[in-house]
Amino acid sequence: MIDPLSRWTSYGEKPDYAGPLTFGGVPYTQDPADLRDADVAIIGAPVDDLVSDRPGTRFAPRAIRSASCPSGANLETKVDAFAELRVLDFGDAPVVPADPVRSHAAIEETVGQALSAGTVPVILGGDHSITEANVRACAATHGPVGLVHFDTHTDTGSKVFGVEMSHGTIMRRLVEEGRVDPERYVQIGLRGYWPGEEEFSWQARRGITSLFMHEVRDLGIREVVGRAVVAVGAGPVFLTVDIDVLDPAFAPGTGTPEPGGMTTAELLWAAREVARRCEVIGADLVEVIPTGVGSADVTSLAADRIVREILGGLALHRKQSQDRKEEQR
Amino acid sequence: MIDPLSRWTSYGEKPDYAGPLTFGGVPYTQDPADLRDADVAIIGAPVDDLVSDRPGTRFAPRAIRSASCPSGANLETKVDAFAELRVLDFGDAPVVPADPVRSHAAIEETVGQALSAGTVPVILGGDHSITEANVRACAATHGPVGLVHFDTHTDTGSKVFGVEMSHGTIMRRLVEEGRVDPERYVQIGLRGYWPGEEEFSWQARRGITSLFMHEVRDLGIREVVGRAVVAVGAGPVFLTVDIDVLDPAFAPGTGTPEPGGMTTAELLWAAREVARRCEVIGADLVEVIPTGVGSADVTSLAADRIVREILGGLALHRKQSQDRKEEQR
Amino acid sequence: MIDPLSRWTSYGEKPDYAGPLTFGGVPYTQDPADLRDADVAIIGAPVDDLVSDRPGTRFAPRAIRSASCPSGANLETKVDAFAELRVLDFGDAPVVPADPVRSHAAIEETVGQALSAGTVPVILGGDHSITEANVRACAATHGPVGLVHFDTHTDTGSKVFGVEMSHGTIMRRLVEEGRVDPERYVQIGLRGYWPGEEEFSWQARRGITSLFMHEVRDLGIREVVGRAVVAVGAGPVFLTVDIDVLDPAFAPGTGTPEPGGMTTAELLWAAREVARRCEVIGADLVEVIPTGVGSADVTSLAADRIVREILGGLALHRKQSQDRKEEQR
Amino acid sequence: MIDPLSRWTSYGEKPDYAGPLTFGGVPYTQDPADLRDADVAIIGAPVDDLVSDRPGTRFAPRAIRSASCPSGANLETKVDAFAELRVLDFGDAPVVPADPVRSHAAIEETVGQALSAGTVPVILGGDHSITEANVRACAATHGPVGLVHFDTHTDTGSKVFGVEMSHGTIMRRLVEEGRVDPERYVQIGLRGYWPGEEEFSWQARRGITSLFMHEVRDLGIREVVGRAVVAVGAGPVFLTVDIDVLDPAFAPGTGTPEPGGMTTAELLWAAREVARRCEVIGADLVEVIPTGVGSADVTSLAADRIVREILGGLALHRKQSQDRKEEQR
Amino acid sequence: MIDPLSRWTSYGEKPDYAGPLTFGGVPYTQDPADLRDADVAIIGAPVDDLVSDRPGTRFAPRAIRSASCPSGANLETKVDAFAELRVLDFGDAPVVPADPVRSHAAIEETVGQALSAGTVPVILGGDHSITEANVRACAATHGPVGLVHFDTHTDTGSKVFGVEMSHGTIMRRLVEEGRVDPERYVQIGLRGYWPGEEEFSWQARRGITSLFMHEVRDLGIREVVGRAVVAVGAGPVFLTVDIDVLDPAFAPGTGTPEPGGMTTAELLWAAREVARRCEVIGADLVEVIPTGVGSADVTSLAADRIVREILGGLALHRKQSQDRKEEQR
Amino acid sequence: MIDPLSRWTSYGEKPDYAGPLTFGGVPYTQDPADLRDADVAIIGAPVDDLVSDRPGTRFAPRAIRSASCPSGANLETKVDAFAELRVLDFGDAPVVPADPVRSHAAIEETVGQALSAGTVPVILGGDHSITEANVRACAATHGPVGLVHFDTHTDTGSKVFGVEMSHGTIMRRLVEEGRVDPERYVQIGLRGYWPGEEEFSWQARRGITSLFMHEVRDLGIREVVGRAVVAVGAGPVFLTVDIDVLDPAFAPGTGTPEPGGMTTAELLWAAREVARRCEVIGADLVEVIPTGVGSADVTSLAADRIVREILGGLALHRKQSQDRKEEQR
């Protein structure tokens, strides 16, 4: 295990751009044994083989770590996720370029190691296809999961551009394989021109809940997230955030951007809120294509903060559980 | 005529980045005869000779086509413009670099061919000066038109930086030539520091309606567009969208950007709404300066989607007319 | 003194990209004597020695001037600051690279010259550390000042990354030196993960007012600015705007960006409102890192407009004072 | 068939940035029948599924066409390839994203159509893996071919990063499948740190000729190309140019750049010389990752010129053959 | 007159990025009277109305000044041009956007003022069309001039893309108007595919000397420049440098780049050598399109250094003349 | 210690963009004890406080590691430095932003740890000021060292822009402190306009050898390096490479670029040759300002390769010594 802070004399002196590259400056390990005392394992999944338009997300795990800021309490919630939770950077899954099958197996295995150690895995993509591996590993541990899915697109095609194994088909596969419970599956932020009738009627038949971007516009993000939390209900939940749910103004670095999307203010709150209120047992953040250095890459920066707010939500969730338990005594 | 889809075995397999470059992957023709069965003709006007600040819009028609996504129903309206309307890409007007007079004549002629064939011409600029050519052609066919004009600037100077033939004088020229009916002319999104008293008092004398960005802020986009639709009333309408009506966060690639502008969510809805409710007989989208490749160029991407929503509004307009006719029977 | 307009035959013919580089095309002087008839002195402070993350703001004074548009009345307020106030560009303070002590002394002296001449100095940073020099000069003239501070961060650390002289410690130093009256010190737009409990409790003990970004979200910018104006009350006020109070979508060019921030529409209004309602005796705009040419650099463009709206507010403030005086007669 | 020049009144008036997007402004067709009278068919192969590092070459065929300049005689050779040869743009092969097997089949079939029509196919990649499809099609028509291969890397791995189907293994596959005659296979420009002993000894056993970049430095490009032409000898030759043979200064837009490479001056001459002296029956240009608009993308610009010089070499080759025949009479 | 150094306590303390923006930090004046004691007047000509491809050179005069470094002796020649010659920045000509006729008149008049004051004007373009205005002013003072012309293109078209007034026709116009003596006109660095036979035979008939890039390659820059100096002979010479004579690797920021060009090492030496050996009475540097901030914009940086080497050559020329005169005594 | 390869099943499967970020994928340690068996320690020094123009080199150590390619034998020398030498990544020195004194102490201490363990430290800057710390540490171990210094600038000012502690004064300080033996100090690649007579006469008095860029042009890199090796002679040598010795075409990402510089082909050979022939006991590579992601950042890529060639030279040097020893037996 490597602790990035060990060379600096006191906490808070390490600049973000110095020292070993880890998410948020947390310790780094490749040894699953180290995860036993941890609450959260950050995992990189640097792949982009299965995209239908612009590639480049293979560079995202490093870029998100580079844009990452050090620990501290969120000024709104007053909660410091890194103080409440023990977060470790578990490194990247051993992916292989141009071999999505082996890469997905590697991701699934690495996520599985984190789950076996009792941590909540939080995976930095990579394109959205990695969610198939992530959820498979989670379902193997927790059984069929609920899914809260922030995205422009439903990713429930049977094929995308004629291809079955694609970042646009994973949700259908996960539902059909029984790994996601469709009645506990909620999509938030849908807009644009895809998919079509076939996919939506497939979704409707299975009881999947779709919350569109025009509903966010008309009802507000609080109402929409409230509905999502109700729809997903009790039980284990996987939280997946496709960065393209943001408007391209806020996340220009992504492969299939769609104007008319969320603001970061909305998404940061929403991601935290879902993690606070639901029983999140795993999460991922996908589809970032890095375009710059450090925090100058605003998409990677947004991605870092979304992950931090998910961690903040996890910390709040645990606090609430503890408070409730104490009240019950 | 060239059909981009012809080489792919089934619809939806052609990637956006492959095949001949046409708007939205629709068929391409340079033959006016092909337009006879069409509803909409997309036309490129790659010129930027008459700008007062940053040039570069000559590259926009290709960039907007490159950022273009394939057909599909809008997830809010459930209408697929490309299924409801026959849209053809009629190519670029035969412009000549550094000769705005000949280029404008070429644009006017090409738009005129589209009108003669009975289509609604939708022109991809180019700088805003092209609207003079576009509206001339429309007025030659339809008589003086109403004008819905999304923009930061009124473009009603008598001169701009000392020059008469400029992207900032066209609206005055069109009004004074009798091609735009000033009482049916509405401007939406005005802000910043131009023009001044002289221009606004000229506008007031002629009955032009100005809806400012601070009115969008205070009243909401729905109320503002509602007022615009009332002001423009019945009769043929040309819809012109200067991309700089958007905030630079949403459209950084433009020549005279002005902070404090619209979001794409507002403009996409507003452009569609105008096309749905008014009798739009022509439209253009101007002042995009491309800065990147494919959909990574967020300004060109926004431009593509604005045009698509105009097409969506045209499709809804026709549907409503048909529904009304059927009701009347 | 150099007048950029002198070579052009009539006002309004000079393009923004031609002629000597001055803020808004106003006359340029390096002679304090020229300031005597002026109301506002624009001063550049091109330094970035004391930043904790990405440097580059040394290039901002030139970039903001390059993004600058010519005079004209704001379309909302109908007030042309350059017509109401005599604004001169007083050039850059004679800073020295890699020597922050000498550079800060040079800035303080140059700002002092502007104050001695009776102008309101408006300083273009540079990193936020320059506010220490700016406010020192102002307090030497006006006594302890009130402070309206738009920022993501409080900049009230006792050390930042282990360093005392930093862009993150200036506000604490100014308060502790008695140059800022903490009871008349208001922070607006705070968010993210810094600072922590130590700093906030130091602030609380001194009566500093913090208005968070989540309050802007929940209460609206008008309410928040209203509270700020009340808190700062009567007496001389320094207005400091760190461009990172904007969301990175609106101001990507800054050294420590934080998602979830203000829109330019909000900040342009708010900066003008503070200048209109308070007794602003000096102002600065800091932390812009230029990334492009002219107005294509959207962060520098936003910075120019924020400064212009501060000038607009100063003009409105003077008008109101004059109106009130006339009423009293 | 679409002729880009048809709308302009005389040859030479069409700007490079206007009209339908085709290579060099030549006519475009998707109909193999049109190729019968042609000498050269330009084909796009927009794929990048099989790369080991940075992806993005899927955008290259369009970008190279966008950077393309109009016809004209080379100022050194006085030969206008477009006047001597009938060149058509045969469009893109119907590739499918994320499905390299189907995409390669599509490329092979499209190249085969061009060969069946009697043209020399010149393919714009795409990553280097497309050369496998291109040469397969050529070998099906012409039998085992000689290969002149400009590249930093040999691309003769048995696996690259653990993967068999890769842009780094194609040359071994082509040799082992008998489609390339190893004794007529010459590599030019090799440098850097890959491959290793295993690959070079495999090459040596088969009689492949390697000409290293340090030989270009020490002997000059003329001597090196002279040796290459001798080594490849008489018979059909496929010419493949990986843009990364250029130094990154000249071709920054590529996926595995390696400093210390060729200048464009060297490569333009060398590519033309090979085409002039050998019996080139097909060619490709691969591994361009576009990064900008039109000719501002210097890598795509270089790619366009390399292809033009190959065409120039083909024209010179034909002229020489004709001259020789006439002499023999 | 403004002296950028006046605020700094000793020479050499002013950073390049601070103080008023002038070429090389020399004093700035808009008053022709100030030029009387000067040797060289730097003039900006920020126009790009007459280009045939990518525009943007209007931003170059400022960008070249921003990339400019302070005075100092060249390490090869040991001559400090700014110490030997009195150089002033005479500002920009009062151009008007979108009105090339008025802009060219303004440039011609401003250059004329510099000539009347007895200085050598050195003009920073702008596109190459400004050379027409520059040489007209020079010929009005000095009679028909010799011309040394570094460029990829001859710029001797009668029309370019169908247009007479263009950056590609100026040299023909200047010759035909009798302002350039064709027998004393030398072109250096020609390459690519333009112009064609008509232009070259027009050139040949008038005795214009063309030195191609392949001659630079085969003979070396020293031999080529030697031939140029002989061809241009005695008498007044205008030196015009189109930055696109450089390879795009060295000057990516230009509108019609052509691979296979000069290195900066070659051009810096050559420009200085021409100025040292010929009787240069005026010079310009054109076709830079800025793309970045300060010296990060490598094309503007190269442009600054080319101008400095021209100044260095002028200083050496004067020294040699003085030495010769002293010898003759 | 962390081994990046440990997760991949066989050597060569780890993509460059996956796994922990270390130089060349070598193991990472922060424990000096691990260095005992190592030959070379790579150390990052992410600082840029003391620059006179563009900052940003603080991001270089990570960027160079990101651009780094895996192990392999150089195709010219057939030597794989990583096989011959045990290279470890010793991480970054614990620098503190905006505190150059503490940062330099931290760098000196970290380099000292590497020296104490018996390794050759190879430091990735950072700006050139770090060489002062690096050489101090080396001289403390080895006594006064010889210095081979590739650079545009001599860095021997007594002050730069009025400042003593600067990236432009370090070499004078090192000589005057007796840490560099001036008679064994050679500068290679000098050009441009700095420094002046004072500095060069100081150098001459001390016997420092200056080899200018025009000597590289006239004599060739081999002759120049040959002279350098003779001048530096026997004894311990520190090798420092300022990336700005390269032409900006090859290394655009640096703070004080100067046109007319070396090619990477020249520098890669020269750096290796110095390391092969001299007794190099430490080396650094400085002044890289990263501008992109992974190997798309051509300056960081060049930097990685220069370091690798230094390592290659070290490996060759050791081999030669061993061979010589064996011969002597």
Side-chain angles (χ1 to χ4, degrees), chain A residues 99-158:
Chain A
D99 191 337
V101 173
R102 275 176 68 194
S103 292
H104 279 218
I107 296 165
E108 189 173 340
E109 191 191 339
T110 308
V111 174
Q113 291 174 334
L115 287 159
S116 299
T119 66
V120 174
V122 176
I123 303 101
L124 312 174
D127 69 78
H128 217 153
S129 71
I130 66 158
T131 302
E132 189 169 352
N134 300 338
V135 172
R136 279 187 181 176
C138 289
T141 298
H142 294 282
V145 297
L147 186 64
V148 177
H149 174 197
F150 289 92
D151 204 339
T152 289
H153 314 93
T154 66
D155 296 350
T156 53
S158 54

Side-chain angles (χ1 to χ4, degrees), chain D residues 12 14 75-76 249 264 305 309, chain E residues 161 192-193 217 247 249 258 260:
Chain D
K14 193 190 83 62
L75 298 197
E76 181 175 1
T264 45
R305 296 309 194 265
E309 290 308 298
Chain E
F161 289 100
Y193 312 93
R217 178 192 71 204
D247 193 276
E258 186 66 46

Side-chain angles (χ1 to χ4, degrees), chain F residues 286-303:
Chain F
V286 298
E287 296 287 354
V288 171
I289 300 181
T291 56
V293 176
S295 65
D297 183 357
V298 295
T299 313
S300 295
L301 178 73

Side-chain angles (χ1 to χ4, degrees), chain F residues 168-213:
Chain F
T169 59
I170 43 165
M171 299 311 174
R172 185 180 294 226
R173 293 157 68 102
L174 286 168
V175 167
E176 300 211 328
E177 290 168 358
R179 302 183 204 271
V180 164
D181 176 354
E183 311 228 325
R184 296 186 57 231
Y185 172 12
V186 189
Q187 300 160 339
I188 308 175
L190 306 178
R191 65 187 185 279
Y193 313 92
W194 188 84
E197 271 181 44
E198 193 276 331
E199 288 84 357
F200 276 112
S201 82
W202 175 88
Q203 295 199 171
R205 287 197 301 277
R206 270 148 196 84
I208 294 169
T209 303
S210 295
L211 296 163
F212 292 84
M213 197 59 218

Side-chain angles (χ1 to χ4, degrees), chain B residues 161 192-193 217 247 249 258 260, chain C residues 12 14 75-76 249 264 305 309:
Chain B
F161 290 100
Y193 313 93
R217 177 192 71 203
D247 193 275
E258 186 65 46
Chain C
K14 193 190 84 61
L75 296 197
E76 181 175 1
T264 46
R305 296 310 194 265
E309 288 309 296

Side-chain angles (χ1 to χ4, degrees), chain D residues 265-295:
Chain D
E266 289 170 333
L267 181 56
L268 290 170
W269 178 85
R272 187 177 70 219
E273 186 72 359
V274 169
R276 184 178 71 84
R277 293 178 59 186
C278 300
E279 189 189 329
V280 170
I281 50 76
D284 60 24
L285 183 291
V286 299
E287 296 286 355
V288 171
I289 299 181
T291 58
V293 176
S295 66

Side-chain angles (χ1 to χ4, degrees), chain A residues 12-17 69-79 222 249-250 264-265 268-269 272 293 295-296 298 301-302 304-306 308-309, chain C residues 51-54 152 154 159-163 190-196 200 212 214 217-218 247-250 252 254-261:
Chain A
E13 298 209 346
K14 192 190 84 60
D16 297 357
Y17 49 81
C69 76
S71 173
N74 178 296
L75 297 198
E76 182 175 1
T77 64
K78 314 296 180 204
V79 167
R222 287 179 180 256
F250 297 86
T264 45
L268 291 169
W269 178 86
R272 186 175 72 218
V293 175
S295 66
V298 297
L301 178 74
D304 171 71
R305 296 309 194 264
I306 295 163
R308 292 175 78 85
E309 290 309 296
Chain C
V51 301
S52 51
D53 203 322
R54 190 156 58 113
T152 289
T154 65
K159 289 188 180 183
V160 169
F161 290 101
V163 175
L190 307 177
R191 66 188 184 277
Y193 312 93
W194 188 83
F200 276 112
F212 292 84
H214 58 264
R217 178 191 71 203
D218 294 341
D247 193 275
F250 295 86
T254 193
T256 51
E258 186 65 45

Side-chain angles (χ1 to χ4, degrees), chain D residues 272-329:
Chain D
R272 187 177 70 219
E273 186 72 359
V274 169
R276 184 178 71 84
R277 293 178 59 186
C278 300
E279 189 189 329
V280 170
I281 50 76
D284 60 24
L285 183 291
V286 299
E287 296 286 355
V288 171
I289 299 181
T291 58
V293 176
S295 66
D297 183 356
V298 297
T299 313
S300 295
L301 178 74
D304 170 71
R305 296 309 194 265
I306 295 164
V307 172
R308 292 175 77 85
E309 290 308 298
I310 293 173
L311 299 181
L314 292 174
L316 286 162
H317 185 83
R318 173 190 285 202
K319 270 197 147 182
Q320 291 166 340
S321 307
Q322 290 169 340
D323 291 355
R324 236 173 286 142
K325 279 183 200 155
E326 279 177 36
E327 278 169 34
Q328 291 169 346
R329 277 177 209 169

